[in-house]
Amino acid sequence: CSSDLGPSPSLAAMALLMGAASAAMGGKALYSYNRENFKFDKTQGLKRESLRIGMEVRRFELFRDDVRDLVNLTVDRMDIYHLIGALFLKFCIVIFCKGRIQASAPPFLLHLFQLSNASAFIYLLLAVWLSMHASIASHSFGVRMLTRFVRLPIPSRKQLAMLTANLKDFEKQGVTNMMRLPFQDHQDWQQVHGVEAAERAGQPPSASA
């Protein structure tokens, strides 16, 4: 009897085919699952880095605004001193040219008047000169701060290239990452395309052409 001889070869082959089909479907499901994880993680990483770069640029814009406010505080004040000092200088010159004192005034009073006017002229001239110097020095210091120490952190071509990723990079992640079961350990993706693009971006145009 055929039942005493065990399962027939056709049934064994069918079971083997069903097992292989189940394994293939399971492998395909795992492959698609991890591929979607790769796309999701890379998209989230790109959004995170874009947000970080934008916040960093905005942060340095605030620093630059603070530097401009501090510089303008000194420059505006010195400009006011400059204007007022120039007006008083004009008054001193008018007094020198058109000022009249009665002829009956004693000579020492005339000497004191001329000495006081000359002293005021010298001090006002120094005030105008120093206010102009302070305004120029403050402005130049602000320009030096903005151009050397508080530059906007614009990413370079190499840094931008590090953010790029292609779906073909998923094929280079290894079997452990490509076929990882759900709810397992943390999944670490290797940066493949970004490193290669960054290396190409770091080369001179003649070398990469």
Side-chain angles (χ1 to χ4, degrees):
C1 179
S2 60
S3 60
D4 297 334
L5 299 176
S8 62
S10 60
L11 292 178
M14 186 179 297
L16 183 62
L17 288 175
M18 291 179 63
S22 300
M25 292 178 62
K28 181 179 181 300
L30 281 178
Y31 181 85
S32 300
Y33 169 77
N34 289 290
R35 189 170 182 270
E36 291 298 323
N37 281 347
F38 179 80
K39 290 170 61 178
F40 178 80
D41 292 345
K42 289 300 180 180
T43 302
Q44 292 295 315
L46 178 60
K47 291 181 179 179
R48 182 180 64 250
E49 288 300 316
S50 300
L51 180 62
R52 183 189 64 81
I53 292 173
M55 293 179 64
E56 193 74 12
V57 171
R58 180 57 184 160
R59 178 168 171 262
F60 273 80
E61 286 178 351
L62 293 176
F63 290 159
R64 292 172 67 87
D65 290 340
D66 293 339
V67 171
R68 291 190 185 98
D69 292 339
L70 292 174
V71 170
N72 290 333
L73 180 64
T74 302
V75 171
D76 295 342
R77 183 64 59 84
M78 292 301 106
D79 290 343
I80 293 175
Y81 289 162
H82 188 194
L83 177 62
I84 294 176
L87 290 176
F88 277 107
L89 276 177
K90 178 184 177 181
F91 296 155
C92 291
I93 295 174
V94 170
I95 291 175
F96 265 124
C97 297
K98 298 183 179 180
R100 293 291 183 269
I101 297 180
Q102 296 181 359
S104 59
F108 77 91
L109 188 60
L110 293 174
H111 294 161
L112 288 176
F113 171 75
Q114 298 295 338
L115 181 61
S116 299
N117 199 13
S119 300
F121 182 84
I122 292 174
Y123 279 114
L124 288 171
L125 186 62
L126 286 175
V128 170
W129 175 53
L130 292 177
S131 64
M132 186 184 303
H133 175 73
S135 178
I136 296 174
S138 178
H139 184 72
S140 62
F141 181 75
V143 172
R144 181 171 176 267
M145 288 284 292
L146 293 176
T147 54
R148 293 190 179 183
F149 302 104
V150 202
R151 301 287 289 181
L152 290 177
I154 304 299
S156 62
R157 291 178 56 192
K158 187 174 182 179
Q159 292 173 335
L160 291 176
M162 288 292 294
L163 302 179
T164 59
N166 293 334
L167 280 178
K168 68 178 182 180
D169 297 342
F170 177 71
E171 302 169 1
K172 303 178 182 179
Q173 300 301 320
V175 180
T176 304
N177 285 327
M178 293 172 63
M179 305 300 291
R180 185 185 70 91
L181 293 174
F183 308 107
Q184 295 297 316
D185 295 335
H186 180 68
Q187 200 167 20
D188 294 325
W189 302 113
Q190 300 176 6
Q191 187 75 13
V192 179
H193 178 74
V195 176
E196 297 174 355
E199 291 176 354
R200 289 195 301 268
Q203 296 177 354
S206 59
S208 60

